[in-house]
Amino acid sequence: MAVCIAVIAKENYPLYIRSTPTEDELKFHYMVHTSLDVVDEKISAMGKALVDQRELYLGLLYPTEDYKVYGYVTNSKVKFVMVVDSSNTALRDNEICSMFRKLHNSYTDVMCNPFYNPGDRIQSRAFDNMVTSMMIQVC
Amino acid sequence: MELCGATRLGYFGRSQFYIALKLVAVAQSGFPLRVESINTVKDLPLPRFVASKNEQESRHAASYSSDSESQGSYSGVIPPPPGRGQVKKGPGSHDAVQPRPSADQQEPASPVVSPQQSPPASPHTWRKHNRHPSGGNSERPLTGPGPFWSPFGDAQSGSSAGDAVWSGHSPPPPQENWDQTTVRTVASATTANEIRRQSSSCDDPWKITDEQRQYYINQFTTIQPDLNGFIPGSAAKEFFTKSKLPILELSHIWELSDFDKDGALTLDEFCAAFHLVVARKNGYDLPEKLPESLMPKLIDLEDSADVGDQPGEVGYSGSPAEAPPSKSPSMPSLNQTWPELNQSSEQWETFSERSSSSQTLTQFDSNIAPADPDTAIVHPVPIRMTPSKIHMQEMELKRTSSDHTNPTSPLLVKTSDLSEESKINSSVKFPSGNTVADGYSSSDSFPSDPEQIGSNVTRQRSHSGASPDNTAPPPPPPRPQPSHSRSSSLDMNRTFAVTTGQQQAGVVAHPPAVPPRPQPSQAPGPSVHRPVDADGLITHTSTSPQQIPEQPNFADFSQFEVFAASNVTEEQDNEAEKHPDVLPAEKASDPAGSLRVAQTDGKIEEKTAASVPANVSKGTTPLAPPPKPVRRRLKSEDELRPDVDEHTQKTGVLAAVLASQPSIPRSVGKDKKAIQASIRRNKETNTVLARLNSELQQQLKDVLEERISLEVQLEQLRPFSHL
């Protein structure tokens, strides 16, 4: 399903990016990079100071011929971008949202680790495992 | 030990143990310690575990070099091993680094490489290692800070002593209890003790011995005097950094040991982390998941015996039942958070996502669970499981399931509660509490609102219908409505109340002295009336006077339900339109609910104004009113309590008008009586509705004020939203 998952920090540099190896990774990196503009646009559009689960989930950022890109932003402006293969039976929004939620949970776990310096690349094995499970489950 | 690939798993698995035994036998037989030797020497004598320490050391040293070589190959030799790579870790800490990477996972190939690097040093290390058990000296292969780690070495030695005794080359911790029978049979008394000790300890190489635990506890107290307290993450970081392990590994250790993901270590977690660090230093690979023996024992800190037996889930479920001493401090907070969780599904979801401190989670288990086992299982499990059992497969599974289930269950519970409450509230008065609940729930379950609205409408109607008549309200058709959150919003209540009242008036009017008749007329009435049909309206109104409100509620409700059913759709449409519009904008918060209310109230007021003229006109001209009353009726369906009042007025007027209307199907005489009765009833309804109206107006004002204040806050916060 998710062919590429990326975690972008507040300053828009990637903390974690991973793609299914079968594809050309650079293409996914580029897609994630371009989707950041859409994410920023959506963030600025949301004028509310109140954030709830729904607002964290940005939904479909933009679709391409083969892929759809979904976005999710946390309260600390850390962005999760997920590229999904369109060929898969269209994932319901709820599923995407739950996947983002799991990502958010795992990211929180990584943050809680005192040995993790915010801003470092995420090297947590648990996080990797979770992302792998998400990328495999759909594939 | 390394040969057996225990390092990879962090404990002596069955295969590793077999291999170890075989290697011991080989060694004792004098064969070079190679994996191949196991194969070649088919009839290896049973390993004798009588050897003294010295013998072991020498044998160990001798076998070690060959062990390292044979490690790789012997994975294939061992029959049963579940294909686990026999990853052998280099012995000792200094070897740990090398073998560790190779030891991780897999295949014998990598271990073969790494152990070979270490062999020269390994015998030395081993010797030292073995010597520790015997000497218990502070010397420690650990290439780390001396005093800090030496005590650990002692502790570790203690545990390794037993191992060293029975396995010439097996590292300290593993405690395989499976099939030790063969070993035991040949063991001597001394070794038998050791073996017994090992077998008694669960088959868990990660088990912490008492010595080790005591050492850990001492270390814990140096940081945190209170054994029941927590070590904050920063302090733990400093502490473990002293071990000179790579940060990445420390990070992994932390992930494993911080069971409840609260960023702090309890005594249990600290011991587990310490144990992992020590093991790592000794060359053991870090497990991917926290071994059971290292799981924070929620039940009993001291009892190590239970650890091995408790699977994550069992331990987890058991923990709620018992208040772990280590978790006791956190319990109160958990209890506090629990009701908080119940209040909001969103909050709950957030909680389950571990956005809140895990302390609440731990407490949750211990405190909440006992009180309400069922709910505890449902609620606590999901919550706690997600954060704490992250490393456990079961937990992960539960988590995934709980993620789905939890959000729904609390939400359902909550919404049902709210719906209950709102229903009750809407019955006669509309207490502000209901508003709160409505507003609160309004923020939830947005998607289901339209449906809920419909259902709520029906429900509301039932209630409000009952109230005017003061008769037993008919069982609300869709009672537990999770969607109630939306419908329970103040708007809905008012709307429904109003609508219901209006309906009531109409319905009341409808329930004729002759129940069966009004119904048919009633049913068509509403439906006709729906299309804004003057005739329908007239029919409706005409029947109303005939239908005495005093009719048992059943009659009212039957018609009401019929009418409601027909009206519900209309109202639903209206409300669905309204609410979706309102909801999307506001759903996020209670203020949203109030805002919504305000908006709807605004609408209500508009409608009220519109309806007033309708009433007036209606009073004057029976014909002129029809379109207006129809419109008003529609509006009333939409909401607005004020409409109810007007409606009642209208009904009164209509009653009089209807009396003159020839279209009334029923006999005139009956009509008159019915009309009079309906007039009485309508007047009563009027007073009730007027009261309601005043209350709602007051609420509306309050809500508007809240809205204003919230908007002000919003504006204040707005600048920060773009940071």
Side-chain angles (χ1 to χ4, degrees):
Chain A
M1 267 199 345
V3 294
C4 175
I5 291 177
V7 179
I8 318 283
K10 183 174 161 187
E11 292 81 14
N12 289 336
Y13 63 85
L15 291 176
Y16 180 89
I17 184 163
R18 184 130 151 251
S19 323
T20 54
T22 55
E23 299 292 335
D24 175 16
E25 299 217 8
L26 195 57
K27 175 176 69 173
F28 291 124
H29 289 210
Y30 181 70
M31 285 175 77
V32 170
H33 187 75
T34 55
S35 68
L36 289 179
D37 279 337
V38 185
V39 172
D40 280 341
E41 178 189 334
K42 284 195 185 264
I43 292 178
S44 61
M46 291 197 311
K48 279 185 207 243
L50 306 166
V51 285
D52 65 350
Q53 197 66 31
R54 272 181 287 262
E55 293 176 5
L56 296 182
Y57 175 61
L58 303 174
L60 181 67
L61 298 178
Y62 70 87
T64 63
E65 67 281 2
D66 289 331
Y67 303 101
K68 299 189 196 132
V69 183
Y70 292 90
Y72 181 97
V73 65
T74 69
N75 293 342
S76 55
K77 303 298 176 210
V78 172
K79 308 159 187 75
F80 298 97
V81 177
M82 185 188 311
V83 180
V84 178
D85 197 345
S86 295
S87 61
N88 285 310
T89 51
L91 289 177
R92 291 193 10 231
D93 227 30
N94 289 343
E95 297 172 13
I96 302 279
C97 200
S98 70
M99 286 166 76
F100 274 126
R101 217 174 297 131
K102 286 202 303 190
L103 266 175
H104 196 170
N105 282 348
S106 300
Y107 176 74
T108 311
D109 286 346
V110 171
M111 279 294 144
C112 283
N113 191 328
F115 298 102
Y116 171 79
N117 299 319
D120 292 350
R121 300 191 72 93
I122 296 177
Q123 291 161 317
S124 152
R125 279 185 242 176
F127 190 83
D128 282 342
N129 293 341
M130 196 276 307
V131 169
T132 307
S133 72
M134 280 173 59
M135 295 176 71
I136 291 180
Q137 77 184 43
V138 188
C139 291
Chain B
M1 182 72 155
E2 281 77 33
L3 279 179
C4 305
T7 57
R8 170 173 169 267
L9 298 170
Y11 61 92
F12 251 24
R14 177 176 295 257
S15 58
Q16 284 85 22
F17 190 75
Y18 281 129
I19 297 171
L21 289 177
K22 289 199 176 185
L23 287 172
V24 168
V26 168
Q28 288 180 347
S29 310
F31 290 99
L33 204 57
R34 303 177 152 277
V35 176
E36 300 82 28
S37 59
I38 297 178
N39 288 333
T40 56
V41 184
K42 295 290 174 154
D43 50 356
L44 277 178
L46 289 175
R48 291 173 294 109
F49 292 94
V50 192
S52 65
K53 284 184 271 192
N54 291 335
E55 290 178 2
Q56 288 176 354
E57 287 180 5
S58 57
R59 189 175 304 113
H60 186 80
S63 63
Y64 188 83
S65 50
S66 56
D67 284 351
S68 53
E69 299 170 8
S70 57
Q71 284 178 9
S73 47
Y74 92 67
S75 60
V77 172
I78 301 304
R84 280 180 303 207
Q86 315 295 342
V87 178
K88 317 308 186 274
K89 284 189 279 210
S93 58
H94 61 276
D95 297 325
V97 178
Q98 296 168 356
R100 196 173 305 137
S102 58
D104 279 349
Q105 304 1 352
Q106 329 341 351
E107 294 333 299
S110 53
V112 172
V113 174
S114 60
Q116 286 172 354
Q117 298 169 2
S118 50
S122 59
H124 174 70
T125 308
W126 274 112
R127 214 168 283 116
K128 279 177 65 177
H129 197 73
N130 286 339
R131 207 170 289 123
H132 285 303
S134 56
N137 58 26
S138 60
E139 286 180 13
R140 194 78 197 113
L142 290 176
T143 59
F148 178 75
W149 293 96
S150 57
F152 175 81
D154 292 341
Q156 193 71 322
S157 304
S159 63
S160 61
D163 298 336
V165 171
W166 66 267
S167 173
H169 56 269
S170 56
Q175 296 159 354
E176 295 291 310
N177 62 359
W178 56 267
D179 275 351
Q180 292 195 12
T181 53
T182 53
V183 174
R184 282 192 224 117
T185 53
V186 295
S188 67
T190 55
T191 55
N193 291 337
E194 295 297 345
I195 291 169
R196 251 202 311 280
R197 184 176 106 189
Q198 290 164 5
S199 57
S200 60
S201 59
C202 308
D203 55 345
D204 188 356
W206 288 102
K207 190 184 269 287
I208 302 177
T209 66
D210 293 339
E211 300 177 23
Q212 291 174 328
R213 179 166 286 283
Q214 194 52 47
Y215 178 74
Y216 300 155
I217 292 176
N218 294 339
Q219 291 296 318
F220 185 93
T221 50
T222 62
I223 306 177
Q224 165 69 281
D226 179 15
L227 282 182
N228 288 333
F230 291 84
I231 289 186
S234 53
K237 177 177 179 178
E238 294 172 20
F239 184 81
F240 288 113
T241 306
K242 290 189 221 169
S243 69
K244 307 242 169 110
L245 282 181
I247 293 291
L248 184 58
E249 297 189 6
L250 289 174
S251 174
H252 188 64
I253 289 176
W254 176 275
E255 280 180 358
L256 291 176
S257 60
D258 188 1
F259 205 62
D260 44 11
K261 298 282 173 243
D262 58 354
L265 297 181
T266 65
L267 182 57
D268 251 341
E269 293 172 342
F270 178 83
C271 291
F274 209 149
H275 198 63
L276 287 170
V277 170
V278 170
R280 192 65 173 136
K281 282 252 162 205
N282 288 331
Y284 290 101
D285 277 340
L286 291 180
E288 285 301 314
K289 296 186 192 151
L290 194 64
E292 290 178 1
S293 62
L294 293 181
M295 289 245 184
K297 304 175 187 81
L298 300 172
I299 294 179
D300 186 357
L301 259 184
E302 306 306 328
D303 188 0
S304 60
D306 296 342
V307 176
D309 299 336
Q310 281 182 1
E313 300 175 53
V314 172
Y316 192 73
S317 57
S319 64
E322 302 171 356
S326 62
K327 305 289 184 190
S328 54
S330 57
M331 290 189 198
S333 58
L334 183 63
N335 284 330
Q336 296 165 2
T337 56
W338 197 60
E340 173 187 342
L341 292 176
N342 285 336
Q343 293 174 5
S344 171
S345 63
E346 289 181 358
Q347 292 178 5
W348 186 84
E349 288 175 359
T350 312
F351 186 85
S352 61
E353 296 175 0
R354 279 172 309 159
S355 57
S356 57
S357 90
S358 60
Q359 291 190 11
T360 52
L361 293 174
T362 56
Q363 297 173 351
F364 187 51
D365 293 333
S366 49
N367 292 334
I368 302 300
D372 192 349
D374 293 339
T375 58
I377 293 175
V378 173
H379 297 287
V381 166
I383 294 175
R384 190 176 160 93
M385 301 225 15
T386 50
S388 57
K389 299 291 181 178
I390 193 72
H391 298 292
M392 298 305 291
Q393 289 175 353
E394 305 89 352
M395 295 306 162
E396 288 175 355
L397 288 176
K398 281 187 186 178
R399 183 181 182 183
T400 51
S401 61
S402 64
D403 283 343
H404 299 298
T405 56
N406 292 333
T408 54
S409 57
L411 177 59
L412 286 174
V413 170
K414 180 175 65 78
T415 52
S416 63
D417 292 340
L418 290 174
S419 61
E420 290 286 85
E421 184 181 333
S422 60
K423 277 202 305 192
I424 296 172
N425 290 335
S426 64
S427 57
V428 176
K429 50 189 166 89
F430 300 85
S432 58
N434 193 18
T435 308
V436 173
D438 294 343
Y440 185 84
S441 58
S442 63
S443 60
D444 305 327
S445 66
F446 170 70
S448 54
D449 286 342
E451 325 162 327
Q452 299 170 356
I453 291 172
S455 58
N456 281 325
V457 172
T458 310
R459 199 148 42 91
Q460 296 293 345
R461 288 205 190 133
S462 328
H463 286 288
S464 50
S467 54
D469 295 337
N470 292 329
T471 57
R479 186 179 186 257
Q481 300 179 351
S483 61
H484 183 75
S485 59
R486 234 350 153 177
S487 56
S488 60
S489 65
L490 183 58
D491 302 338
M492 296 304 297
N493 285 335
R494 288 191 191 168
T495 306
F496 290 120
V498 173
T499 307
T500 309
Q502 293 175 351
Q503 302 268 343
Q504 291 291 324
V507 173
V508 169
H510 289 309
V514 184
R517 240 181 299 170
Q519 292 191 355
S521 64
Q522 182 103 47
S527 51
V528 175
H529 148 69
R530 185 74 30 92
V532 189
D533 186 355
D535 295 340
L537 178 65
I538 292 174
T539 306
H540 181 77
T541 55
S542 65
T543 54
S544 60
Q546 296 168 1
Q547 298 156 359
I548 298 177
E550 290 168 0
Q551 284 284 330
N553 302 324
F554 306 106
D556 292 346
F557 286 101
S558 60
Q559 294 174 355
F560 176 77
E561 287 181 1
V562 170
F563 182 81
S566 59
N567 286 340
V568 167
T569 55
E570 183 176 343
E571 288 193 10
Q572 285 177 0
D573 295 341
N574 295 333
E575 293 186 319
E577 296 166 359
K578 266 197 303 202
H579 290 282
D581 294 340
V582 179
L583 293 176
E586 325 262 318
K587 50 177 134 148
S589 59
D590 295 349
S594 59
L595 286 172
R596 209 178 20 255
V597 173
Q599 293 177 5
T600 49
D601 286 343
K603 293 181 189 175
I604 295 174
E605 290 175 347
E606 295 173 359
K607 292 187 179 178
T608 305
S611 57
V612 169
N615 282 337
V616 173
S617 61
K618 194 180 301 185
T620 55
T621 318
L623 295 179
K628 287 189 181 172
V630 171
R631 180 185 54 180
R632 188 173 63 79
R633 182 173 294 277
L634 290 176
K635 280 195 240 170
S636 63
E637 290 170 0
D638 291 344
E639 335 182 338
L640 315 184
R641 238 179 33 186
D643 289 347
V644 176
D645 294 339
E646 300 177 8
H647 182 76
T648 54
Q649 300 169 8
K650 177 194 92 162
T651 52
V653 174
L654 287 174
V657 173
L658 288 171
S660 61
Q661 289 181 0
S663 59
I664 298 175
R666 290 153 195 75
S667 65
V668 177
K670 270 194 181 175
D671 289 347
K672 285 184 183 170
K673 290 181 187 172
I675 290 170
Q676 289 172 357
S678 66
I679 289 173
R680 274 198 304 280
R681 225 179 287 157
N682 287 339
K683 286 185 181 173
E684 294 170 2
T685 309
N686 273 345
T687 55
V688 172
L689 290 171
R691 247 198 329 272
L692 287 173
N693 186 22
S694 60
E695 290 177 3
L696 285 176
Q697 294 293 334
Q698 185 58 43
Q699 286 179 354
L700 173 61
K701 291 176 191 167
D702 295 340
V703 166
L704 286 172
E705 289 176 2
E706 290 177 12
R707 175 188 185 178
I708 293 171
S709 64
L710 284 167
E711 286 178 349
V712 169
Q713 291 177 10
L714 198 64
E715 287 305 316
Q716 292 173 354
L717 292 172
R718 189 179 295 274
F720 301 104
S721 64
H722 294 284
L723 287 180

